[in-house]
Amino acid sequence: MLKYFQSFLFVILVQICANIIFALFTIFFNLDMTKIFNDYNFAFIIQNIIIILIYFLLTVGWGLYFKNSYKYSIKARILGSILLIAYLIIFYLSINNLNLFKYFLYIHYPIGSLYRTLVLSSFTLVLRISLLISIISACFGVYLGHRVIVIRVKLKKKSLSSSK
């Protein structure tokens, strides 16, 4: 039970840091992919690649800081569950009121920074479904970061055992 709670706290820490990093990108650098590339699909792909990279780096960085984080093997599933539950609740509540959908964009600000310039009335079903892809991208970044940490720990243990 403690392992699940620690995994949950690790994921919350990564999510908060990702939100802060993307907020800094949008505030200081005025990073708006749709203005840079003038194509929504290409901007969405680039944004998801950046999401994977940031979540990967945050997971590896915090994984190096917390030495036992390699034991938390369910981090990607926990992040996916949290974001998916938040998405489904807000998707259901926003059927009648599109203003509620902006709250999910604050919870998952890495993709919210892409949609910050869109008018809420333009959130079609295709755009809402594309948000699910961004959740998968975030989970994939956390999964890759966790795999790197596990490989690093295995190599370290192997080198320690072979040096004896």
Side-chain angles (χ1 to χ4, degrees):
M1 186 67 180
L2 181 63
K3 186 168 90 169
Y4 295 119
F5 184 68
Q6 289 173 334
S7 297
F8 178 77
L9 291 178
F10 187 90
V11 165
I12 295 296
L13 179 66
V14 168
Q15 181 65 26
I16 290 171
C17 290
N19 284 353
I20 290 170
I21 288 172
F22 276 92
L24 292 175
F25 280 167
T26 56
I27 292 170
F28 292 125
F29 302 123
N30 198 16
L31 187 67
D32 189 4
M33 294 296 177
T34 53
K35 284 184 181 177
I36 295 172
F37 296 112
N38 293 326
D39 180 23
Y40 168 75
N41 294 329
F42 190 67
F44 182 74
I45 291 169
I46 296 297
Q47 185 79 9
N48 278 313
I49 290 171
I50 292 172
I51 288 172
I52 291 170
L53 182 67
I54 295 295
Y55 276 90
F56 170 77
L57 293 174
L58 284 172
T59 304
V60 170
W62 284 114
L64 294 175
Y65 181 75
F66 297 112
K67 299 298 181 193
N68 289 333
S69 70
Y70 70 93
K71 295 179 183 177
Y72 315 144
S73 61
I74 56 170
K75 291 184 283 226
R77 284 184 252 154
I78 289 175
L79 178 67
S81 299
I82 291 170
L83 291 176
L84 187 63
I85 289 170
Y87 175 79
L88 291 175
I89 289 171
I90 292 174
F91 183 83
Y92 177 73
L93 293 176
S94 70
I95 290 173
N96 295 327
N97 185 2
L98 285 175
N99 290 330
L100 293 175
F101 211 76
K102 66 182 175 185
Y103 293 114
F104 177 74
L105 299 178
Y106 293 137
I107 293 169
H108 187 43
Y109 196 73
I111 199 64
S113 64
L114 178 67
Y115 293 121
R116 68 188 168 95
T117 57
L118 290 176
V119 180
L120 287 175
S121 62
S122 66
F123 272 101
T124 61
L125 185 62
V126 174
L127 286 178
R128 291 181 185 188
I129 291 173
S130 68
L131 291 175
L132 291 174
I133 296 171
S134 72
I135 293 172
I136 294 169
S137 297
C139 294
F140 186 64
V142 170
Y143 174 78
L144 288 178
H146 175 72
R147 295 308 314 160
V148 167
I149 293 168
V150 169
I151 290 170
R152 183 182 168 272
V153 168
K154 285 182 181 180
L155 289 174
K156 190 174 182 181
K157 284 182 181 180
K158 188 175 181 180
S159 69
L160 289 176
S161 66
S162 65
S163 66
K164 289 183 181 181

